[in-house]
Amino acid sequence: MFNRERDRLEAIIRNYYAEKGLPEPDAIQWNAIPFAGEWGISTSFFQLAALEARRGANAPGTPIPERAQQIALEIADRIGVPAGFSHVEAVKGYLNLYYLTSEFTSRVISTVLSEGQDFGRGMTKSERVMVEYAQPNTHHSFHMGHFRNAILGETLSRLVEFAGFPTIRASYPGDIGLGVITIIWMYQKFYFGQEPQGVHERGQWLLKLYVEASRLFEPKENESPQEKALRETYDAERRELYRKWDAGDPEVRALWKMTREWSLEELRVILDMLDIHIDVWFFESEVDQPAKAIVEELIQLGVADDERPEGPVIVRIDEKLGLKKEKYRTNVILRSDGTTLYLTKDLALAKEKFEKYGVDRSIYVIDVRQSLYMQQTFKILELWGFKQAEKCYHLGYGFVSLPEGAMSARRGRLALFKDVYDEALRRVLLEIEQKNPDLAAEQRELVASQVGLGALVYAMLSVDNNKDIVFDIESALNFDGRTGPYIQNAHVRASSIIRKAGGLPEVAPYEGELTNHEIQLVELISRFPATVQQAANEYRPLILASYAYDLADAFHSFYHAVPVLQAETEQTRASRLLLVAAARQTLANALRLLDIAAPDVM
RNA sequence: GCCCCUGUAGCUCAAUGGAUAGAGCAGCAGCCUUCUAAGCUGUUGGUUGUGGGUUCGAAUCCCGCCAGGGGCGCCA
């Protein structure tokens, strides 16, 4: 936020380097002074000293830390105390410049309050980004693994968008495949005409059919010849159904469409609950035909080898790339019966994204287990001559399992999002009953939903992308400490103070000596814009999630230690009220990017 | 066999190659007639899996080893 001061300092430092004939580094690295309650910027001279020593210049034989300290001292002397700073010191090879806190605080607060919801937003950029996430299979129910994916994709989208990039949100449900066909077969054979009432009930019922069907297709131990024959008959029926679907049989397609819609309806309802609004819906079934055309092209180009009818169509990726060691291996892009695969469809989808939607960068938020497939897809695109292949990025994330082990629909070991959500709601309502019994009845449901979701969302975002999550409902629905509700509560407390104050005073210079709590709070607020950029650049919502917690932590400490409404003087009261308003705004902006609601009461 | 990820406090996790490795939970001791106690304050807890290397400086980068997880041609 304070680039002006920085630029001026850098000019002085560079002048000094030039004068002394010191090697000039590409960039001067500034960091925050890492001491609690101190606010300012810092840089060090170890690299410079090391560079100098390597060239054998100036003071030969001086240990690097000592030489760094010499330089720091000389520069401190040269700089003096620039405008806007209270004091400057050279310590252990570091140059520390401390802000005049009241002046900087005034600037931070007026910036936040005038920019409001846009505080922290990056300059608009021209590069258009598409984020693909929310790819659950239809005919299944939305579970906590899908939830992590949806939240990660959504927060990433919000971050990238807020950082200044035009952003398109894309969903890609897997609406066809043998699993889907299996459920339709089950429905047609044993449950034809049935239909449970209720959006979630219907979705979960299809999952039940899948579990039942899986049992029918699993060979039993000591299977009798009759049982085996029956199983094989069923399997033949199922394959025939898939063939019919592929051929466009109207009856099969109608059945498929109806059940598919049941799933999609539930998906839309859940995404709506999560405040996720997808711009573009792609379906696997829709890229099926274009994918086949690409396969033909790849065969013509000699990229793919057609081994039909004995085998499938494959791409020997390493060989085509001229690699000696196996890395991307070989993959099948068309079955011997001419039907497409998951990877094949992704080739067609990539083309559509870039050409139809004009995106410049394409991010895939997909489970890390599909890493190899993603790399293979990108490499085949490259071999095909698709230049934008290098603009495709797979954001992998660790999968969600349960304390009992991996989730498995067939074993009925599944944490369905709707069930977890209902439980969250129940627990938050109990909590409200206990902690805020005065909360108006008509507000309770809404607040409970916001807080429950806040807890669940934060549980997903407080772990880095590449780490697995063992989803334990007890710890996810803990509302104390490093959690969503803790951050929401800071926002609630800030709102409460402003409400009781009956409005905000005019923005004016900050009055009074700042306490350490105030300094720490305002320092964190000032860091928000840079934190947004970093999180967006690194595709890591965790960075913002950690920041939001730190900000809430600083606010809670401030809240406890520093009186606002009861401040000693009217001016101090006014200044602190504005600080509270700035903190509240920054908390709200951070929570919004994290897809967590910022309630005024809880 | 090859490739990828992970290993930090009892547990769950942080830490752009930089100053004293930090939080939460759990444990212990306090704080509600003061702006919401979903909170605050204090405190216990570490050979960063292990052995080398690079560097002025390594949890972080490189190599070996150990342990756990994942992925490797017609599932998605």
Side-chain angles (χ1 to χ4, degrees):
Chain A
M1 278 189 84
F2 311 114
N3 295 336
R4 238 192 307 153
E5 282 74 12
R6 245 181 229 198
D7 290 347
R8 233 178 280 151
L9 289 169
E10 290 196 10
I12 298 173
I13 293 172
R14 284 185 188 281
N15 260 335
Y16 170 85
Y17 289 166
E19 226 175 80
K20 298 282 175 180
L22 289 166
E24 194 161 334
D26 303 332
I28 294 173
Q29 288 287 326
W30 294 103
N31 295 303
I33 294 173
F35 309 122
E38 301 288 2
W39 190 21
I41 51 174
S42 161
T43 189
S44 67
F45 302 96
F46 300 107
Q47 275 172 336
L48 185 75
L51 207 59
E52 187 190 46
R54 239 167 277 150
R55 292 189 186 174
N58 284 334
T62 313
I64 301 288
E66 201 173 301
R67 176 63 187 140
Q69 174 62 7
Q70 276 177 16
I71 298 169
L73 276 169
E74 283 175 33
I75 291 179
D77 197 47
R78 171 74 61 104
I79 286 175
V81 179
F85 292 88
S86 68
H87 61 292
V88 174
E89 63 179 16
V91 180
K92 295 182 186 172
Y94 290 85
L95 177 70
N96 295 333
L97 297 107
Y98 294 84
Y99 292 143
L100 268 175
T101 52
S102 56
E103 186 183 322
F104 276 70
T105 299
S106 301
R107 274 164 64 182
V108 171
I109 290 173
S110 67
T111 303
V112 175
L113 295 182
S114 68
E115 294 182 2
Q117 295 191 343
D118 287 325
F119 173 60
R121 187 184 287 280
M123 300 281 285
T124 303
K125 285 118 182 148
S126 60
E127 191 186 8
R128 189 185 295 188
V129 180
M130 180 176 275
V131 183
E132 181 202 303
Y133 60 107
Q135 315 97 329
N137 293 332
T138 60
H139 302 75
H140 272 300
S141 243
F142 197 89
H143 59 61
M144 292 309 287
H146 299 122
F147 178 68
R148 183 179 192 185
N149 174 287
I151 292 303
L152 193 54
E154 178 60 23
T155 52
L156 181 68
S157 299
R158 291 183 184 208
L159 271 168
V160 168
E161 193 167 53
F162 200 63
F165 298 95
T167 302
I168 302 174
R169 292 159 168 81
S171 172
Y172 182 46
D175 60 343
I176 190 58
L178 193 60
V180 170
I181 292 294
T182 302
I183 292 160
I184 294 170
W185 170 83
M186 191 74 193
Y187 174 79
Q188 192 185 37
K189 194 163 181 77
F190 298 103
Y191 294 95
F192 193 77
Q194 294 188 30
E195 180 180 342
Q197 291 306 301
V199 172
H200 297 285
E201 288 75 4
R202 263 200 295 268
Q204 293 180 24
W205 186 59
L206 291 175
L207 178 68
K208 235 189 213 156
L209 297 197
Y210 176 73
V211 174
E212 256 182 63
S214 301
R215 271 201 290 272
L216 293 179
F217 287 107
E218 201 160 332
K220 292 196 193 80
E221 281 177 55
N222 307 319
E223 193 174 48
S224 70
Q226 288 93 333
E227 283 171 333
K228 186 172 182 223
L230 186 63
R231 186 165 55 76
E232 282 170 356
T233 306
Y234 285 166
D235 195 45
E237 288 176 10
R238 174 169 70 156
R239 301 267 168 200
E240 172 60 13
L241 200 63
Y242 202 173
R243 199 198 54 75
K244 277 184 169 172
W245 181 90
D246 203 46
D249 180 286
E251 222 174 293
V252 177
R253 288 277 175 150
L255 213 54
W256 167 71
K257 268 203 164 145
M258 180 182 76
T259 48
R260 171 184 185 264
E261 191 49 34
W262 293 353
S263 285
L264 291 175
E265 201 184 348
E266 194 198 10
L267 176 61
R268 284 191 293 263
V269 166
I270 289 176
L271 292 181
D272 210 48
M273 287 165 72
L274 301 178
D275 196 21
I276 294 176
H277 307 284
I278 298 294
D279 301 305
V280 183
W281 290 85
F282 296 113
F283 293 99
E284 282 194 26
S285 56
E286 285 171 359
V287 281
D288 195 53
Q289 288 307 319
K292 287 180 183 171
I294 292 174
V295 172
E296 281 310 312
E297 215 179 303
L298 288 170
I299 295 169
Q300 295 304 316
L301 287 168
V303 172
D305 298 317
D306 190 354
E307 299 182 337
R308 287 176 295 178
E310 295 81 25
V313 179
I314 62 169
V315 180
R316 296 190 172 92
I317 305 172
D318 291 326
E319 188 187 303
K320 300 293 175 189
L321 285 170
L323 298 177
K324 292 259 168 12
K325 278 179 67 178
E326 63 170 6
K327 183 163 184 193
Y328 300 106
R329 299 163 190 269
T330 297
N331 211 320
V332 174
I333 58 171
L334 201 68
R335 291 191 186 92
S336 42
D337 67 3
T339 55
T340 63
L341 290 117
Y342 170 75
L343 188 152
T344 327
K345 293 171 217 174
D346 251 319
L347 300 175
L349 185 60
K351 181 184 161 77
E352 179 146 339
K353 283 180 180 177
F354 282 96
E355 292 179 359
K356 186 169 170 195
Y357 293 92
V359 302
D360 304 296
R361 184 159 39 127
S362 181
I363 304 171
Y364 297 71
V365 181
I366 303 179
D367 193 322
V368 71
R369 283 176 288 194
Q370 292 174 34
S371 217
L372 179 60
Y373 288 95
M374 293 311 301
Q375 296 313 312
Q376 290 174 328
T377 303
F378 300 158
K379 284 299 166 188
I380 292 173
L381 284 169
E382 193 182 308
L383 289 167
W384 181 35
F386 190 77
K387 281 200 217 83
Q388 293 101 318
E390 60 181 29
K391 294 291 188 177
C392 293
Y393 183 81
H394 172 218
L395 180 66
Y397 61 90
F399 54 92
V400 180
S401 62
L402 300 175
E404 307 90 89
M407 282 196 249
S408 161
R410 284 153 64 183
R411 291 185 197 165
R413 202 165 59 195
L414 218 50
L416 291 182
F417 168 73
K418 185 55 171 45
D419 293 343
V420 173
Y421 173 79
D422 288 343
E423 178 62 14
L425 210 60
R426 198 182 66 77
R427 293 195 193 190
V428 179
L429 283 170
L430 278 175
E431 197 89 351
I432 290 174
E433 191 68 48
Q434 211 176 58
K435 291 181 171 152
N436 194 4
D438 297 334
L439 188 60
E442 62 269 23
Q443 274 188 301
R444 288 193 182 197
E445 284 285 329
L446 176 65
V447 170
S449 166
Q450 291 177 328
V451 173
L453 280 175
L456 293 175
V457 168
Y458 199 84
M460 294 294 128
L461 295 180
S462 57
V463 179
D464 216 344
N465 301 340
N466 54 357
K467 282 200 173 163
D468 295 344
I469 291 181
V470 177
F471 179 75
D472 176 23
I473 192 159
E474 294 308 324
S475 52
L477 292 183
N478 174 12
F479 308 130
D480 301 327
R482 204 170 204 293
T483 65
Y486 177 93
I487 303 166
Q488 291 173 312
N489 189 39
H491 183 267
V492 164
R493 286 175 139 185
S495 302
S496 178
I497 291 177
I498 293 166
R499 196 168 49 240
K500 292 214 163 141
L504 290 176
E506 287 293 305
V507 174
Y510 209 83
E511 289 292 333
E513 191 73 12
L514 280 87
T515 62
N516 276 2
H517 289 102
E518 287 162 285
I519 294 170
Q520 210 144 340
L521 181 57
V522 75
E523 180 186 1
L524 274 162
I525 293 171
S526 75
R527 254 187 237 171
F528 179 64
T531 306
V532 169
Q533 291 297 326
Q534 193 198 344
N537 288 342
E538 297 181 18
Y539 298 159
R540 287 175 66 209
L542 166 71
I543 290 175
L544 196 68
S546 299
Y547 169 83
Y549 172 78
D550 291 341
L551 181 60
D553 186 25
F555 184 79
H556 279 303
S557 298
F558 160 83
Y559 177 91
H560 185 264
V562 184
V564 177
L565 299 177
Q566 314 286 332
E568 312 82 59
T569 70
E570 195 54 37
Q571 286 92 332
T572 307
R573 181 180 188 269
S575 292
R576 288 181 181 164
L577 258 176
L578 292 171
L579 176 58
V580 170
R584 176 174 181 270
Q585 182 70 62
T586 310
L587 281 165
N589 291 7
L591 284 170
R592 191 178 72 239
L593 294 178
L594 296 174
D595 196 14
I596 295 175
D600 290 328
V601 289
M602 66 189 271

